[in-house]
Amino acid sequence: MIKTGTRLSIFPLGGALLLPGAFLPLHIFEPRYRALVSDALARDRRIAMIQPLPGSEGDHPALFDIGCVGKIGQVEALPDGRFNVVLEGVSRFRLLRELDVTTPFRQVLADLESFDRDAGDELVLASTARAGIEREARRFAAAHGYDIDWDQVARLDDESLVNGLAQVIPFDIAAKQALLEAANLDVRADLLAELLRFSSAGDGDDSTLQ
């Protein structure tokens, strides 16, 4: 198990939300992140996803304090050196400090013990909360013209439903970060319902999410 003070290789990417127990597909094409994937595959297959702060520009943007460690599951190595990978969220982490390294990718010292419960038992919502999420998701889909298989959605467990919606809906960076930092599934579900409700009140243009 990863302990406090663990060195993590990070992939800063705005709008790409990874949550514990959820999956995030990535197409890796930049040389520094191709090196990151190659290094991870040779070691423990772990990559830490974290968002840059809004307005932070350049090759070394400032970062939020909290991200999520993912483990590479599926991987496709392409002939030109690019990768298609799928990360499975393992645990959130808190960035303690950035390390001075010679690798082309950034590395940090991180605390994971604060998020021990991320790898705990299956989390369950109250039935009213679950119904509220599905209701707001239907309204959102109708407002934005999304065609959803609602029978398949109904078969998802509560955590997969909340985390899956939080990841795929194009909320802005600040909203994505708030969903990541939510204390528990109940808090994340309440915030998700509020964001869906606000987005559904727009005119159907995805710009209302930004």
Side-chain angles (χ1 to χ4, degrees), residues 21-191:
F23 297 89
L24 178 66
L26 293 169
H27 176 64
I28 309 297
F29 59 92
E30 287 190 54
R32 57 182 162 174
Y33 298 125
R34 285 155 47 179
L36 169 60
V37 170
S38 295
D39 180 74
L41 290 172
R43 294 186 301 104
D44 57 8
R45 302 179 73 92
R46 296 180 191 271
I47 294 174
M49 300 298 300
I50 192 166
Q51 292 198 115
L53 291 170
S56 186
E57 306 288 341
D59 290 336
H60 203 91
L63 305 169
F64 279 101
D65 291 334
I66 295 175
C68 184
V69 179
K71 185 173 183 179
I72 298 174
Q74 300 176 37
V75 57
E76 178 187 14
L78 302 175
D80 61 1
R82 293 175 296 137
F83 292 95
N84 291 319
V85 303
V86 178
L87 294 183
E88 180 179 2
V90 176
S91 172
R92 290 175 292 173
F93 67 90
R94 185 178 302 276
L95 191 157
L96 298 176
R97 64 182 176 89
E98 186 156 358
L99 300 172
D100 185 13
V101 295
T102 59
T103 55
F105 49 87
R106 298 165 69 178
Q107 298 182 49
V108 301
L109 202 64
D111 161 34
L112 284 91
E113 288 187 352
S114 300
F115 301 102
D116 277 349
R117 296 184 65 184
D118 284 353
D121 297 332
E122 181 178 345
L123 303 174
V124 179
L125 294 173
S127 58
T128 53
R130 167 78 186 218
I133 289 289
E134 292 195 15
R135 180 177 62 253
E136 295 302 333
R138 286 176 181 270
R139 289 176 178 170
F140 176 88
H144 293 271
Y146 294 153
D147 185 17
I148 307 295
D149 183 345
W150 294 108
D151 288 337
Q152 183 174 354
V153 169
R155 290 193 289 270
L156 294 173
D157 62 73
D158 294 344
E159 189 173 15
S160 296
L161 173 67
V162 172
N163 289 352
L165 288 173
Q167 285 193 178
V168 302
I169 294 174
F171 298 126
D172 65 21
I173 288 175
K176 292 274 190 180
Q177 190 67 25
L179 288 163
L180 173 65
E181 295 186 13
N184 53 50
L185 187 65
D186 289 327
V187 175
R188 186 173 297 137
D190 288 344
L191 176 57

Side-chain angles (χ1 to χ4, degrees), residues 186-205:
D186 289 327
V187 175
R188 186 173 297 137
D190 288 344
L191 176 57
L192 177 62
E194 182 179 347
L195 290 168
L196 287 168
R197 193 176 304 115
F198 174 80
S199 301
S200 300
D203 58 6
D205 185 340

